[in-house]
Amino acid sequence: MRDVLDRLLAWWEAGEPVGLATVTATWSSAPRQPGAAMVVGPGGEVVGSVSGGCVEGAVYELCREVIETGEASVARYGISDDDAFEVGLTCGGIIELLIERVDRQSFPELPELARAIAAARPIALLTRLDGARHLLITPDARTGTLGHDRIDDATTDDGRGLLAAGRTGMLHYGPSGERRGEGLSVPVASFAPPARMLVFGATDHAAATARIGSFLGYHVTVCDARPVFATARRFPSADQVVVDWPHRYLTTEAEAGRIDERTVLCVLTHDPKFDVPVLEVALRLPVAYVGAMGSRRTHDDRNKRLQEAGLSDAELAHLASPVGLDLGARTPEETAVSIAAEIVALRWGGSGARLTATAGRIHPD
């Protein structure tokens, strides 16, 4: 929904009802993830996408219908099978969507959701599928209702768990919020602050990595102890440029609670006096990725230094070094693509192999 929120809010503020289609669940090789949204405006305008083009025509008609009737509905689309699905996804996956009318009466919580997202405050939107009621939850508050206090209490507790991990998912309950029950499905769309990418080393490779990190949606920080190199002018794609010793900065951020399991760390200093101390800190943190640049000779020397510093084999196993996938990269920009590809592959369980050389589903379950 983040991609369509500005236009959605503008129509809401103008008092114009619109149709909102949101992906609530996917199976197999679905082209969009849960939370993806498409809005049909009062004049028939379309913003966003739920399938990359496969079923947008059918969803458009459902959105136009819900604007007129105000009655929310759930639709499912999958492979081309007339007995099971009205419209086929060419990719072979399956998506489930909630189609609802959004206006001031049906979604009074929308401005609060928009303000929280704009301010990068963690917030989650919970929606009751059988009536399109909404509940907003933050780490310490909630607004709206799904229709019953017991349901609100149960979904708030479980939804905060998803929000803390920055995950979108589906919760299931009984009709009155029983956790072991069935019949009530509640999609949770989490809007957590962007995951962080910390790039250590004010080099050309760091500048390229900062650019692709920003493109992937990370909040990018470049850190180097040398003020002549660590400047905002040299790293215009970075959200923040810090002049400090990398290990000291990382320690401070970790102690302040600003490092989490989504954080990726790229050590591109290529100098043992910088990279060994910061890796000693990084490899003991519960982060998503730690990569370090260098030749195989550099890698062997660095591992020896880290072992002497007291790191265990298990901790060293988390280090991606030499950094990146084997793409044959030569330039800083190509190397940045290699690093980004490794991060994406590890995040989703990809093999890094060419798809032409693989079989089965493109997107693993």
Side-chain angles (χ1 to χ4, degrees):
M1 183 185 288
R2 193 188 297 267
D3 295 340
V4 304
L5 190 56
D6 288 346
R7 292 293 300 277
L8 181 62
L9 183 62
W11 280 315
W12 187 95
E13 291 175 337
E16 300 277 7
V18 302
L20 172 65
T22 306
V23 177
T24 57
T26 64
W27 296 267
S28 300
S29 299
R32 299 297 304 274
Q33 295 297 308
M38 185 179 93
V39 179
V40 175
E45 311 93 324
V46 176
V47 182
S49 171
V50 292
S51 74
C54 299
V55 302
E56 262 70 4
V59 175
Y60 175 85
E61 296 301 329
L62 291 176
C63 286
R64 295 286 290 172
E65 181 179 329
V66 80
I67 293 174
E68 297 298 322
T69 66
E71 296 181 4
S73 63
V74 175
R76 178 180 286 197
Y77 300 103
I79 58 175
S80 298
D81 180 350
D82 291 338
D83 292 332
F85 304 102
E86 181 181 355
V87 178
L89 288 179
T90 57
C91 64
I94 303 172
I95 62 172
E96 190 170 86
L97 305 103
L98 170 65
I99 317 295
E100 60 180 312
R101 170 173 161 148
V102 172
D103 55 29
R104 289 176 177 269
Q105 289 71 42
S106 66
F107 200 166
E109 303 87 2
L110 182 62
E112 181 177 344
L113 175 66
R115 286 193 296 270
I117 294 174
R121 297 195 305 268
I123 192 167
L125 169 64
L126 286 68
T127 305
R128 182 163 178 164
L129 295 182
D130 60 348
R133 296 187 182 95
H134 305 98
L135 179 68
L136 298 182
I137 60 171
T138 67
D140 53 10
R142 75 184 186 202
T143 303
T145 181
L146 297 179
H148 191 287
D149 286 345
R150 186 173 175 181
I151 296 172
D152 291 346
D153 290 343
T155 56
T156 295
D157 290 342
D158 297 338
R160 281 180 176 149
L162 292 174
L163 178 59
R167 292 172 47 212
T168 289
M170 185 77 74
L171 302 175
H172 301 280
Y173 303 92
S176 297
E178 302 92 337
R179 282 191 168 85
R180 295 182 180 273
E182 297 179 352
L184 176 63
S185 296
V186 179
V188 181
S190 294
F191 300 90
R196 298 189 66 187
M197 171 182 281
L198 274 58
V199 182
F200 297 103
T203 65
D204 289 344
H205 287 88
T209 302
R211 286 197 296 274
I212 201 165
S214 179
F215 174 75
L216 290 175
Y218 287 98
H219 182 281
V220 180
T221 299
V222 175
C223 175
D224 195 295
R226 302 166 296 177
V228 67
F229 295 112
T231 65
R233 184 174 182 178
R234 293 191 68 225
F235 298 95
S237 298
D239 297 284
Q240 185 181 23
V241 179
V242 174
V243 179
D244 200 351
W245 279 82
H247 71 283
R248 186 166 60 193
Y249 174 72
L250 181 57
T251 299
T252 299
E253 292 299 287
E255 291 176 348
R258 291 188 286 267
I259 304 296
D260 62 28
E261 66 277 2
R262 301 176 299 146
T263 303
V264 299
L265 308 174
C266 302
V267 180
L268 311 181
T269 50
H270 208 225
D271 184 335
K273 71 174 177 290
F274 291 113
D275 58 16
V276 170
V278 72
L279 286 171
E280 187 179 349
V281 177
L283 292 171
R284 289 175 170 142
L285 296 175
V287 296
Y289 175 84
V290 181
M293 175 174 284
S295 66
R296 297 198 186 279
R297 178 181 296 177
T298 298
H299 166 76
D300 291 341
D301 176 71
R302 187 165 49 214
N303 264 17
K304 181 180 178 181
R305 293 171 183 265
L306 290 169
Q307 287 173 336
E308 292 172 350
L311 270 77
S312 67
D313 290 343
E315 290 168 335
L316 288 173
H318 292 297
L319 177 59
S321 172
V323 71
L325 296 186
D326 180 13
L327 304 183
R330 299 297 180 94
T331 68
E333 289 74 21
E334 290 172 346
T335 302
V337 171
S338 169
I339 294 170
E342 183 173 46
I343 291 171
V344 172
L346 289 174
R347 178 182 180 187
W348 297 111
S351 68
R354 296 183 65 193
L355 290 174
T356 56
T358 63
R361 295 173 179 166
I362 293 175
H363 302 116
D365 290 336

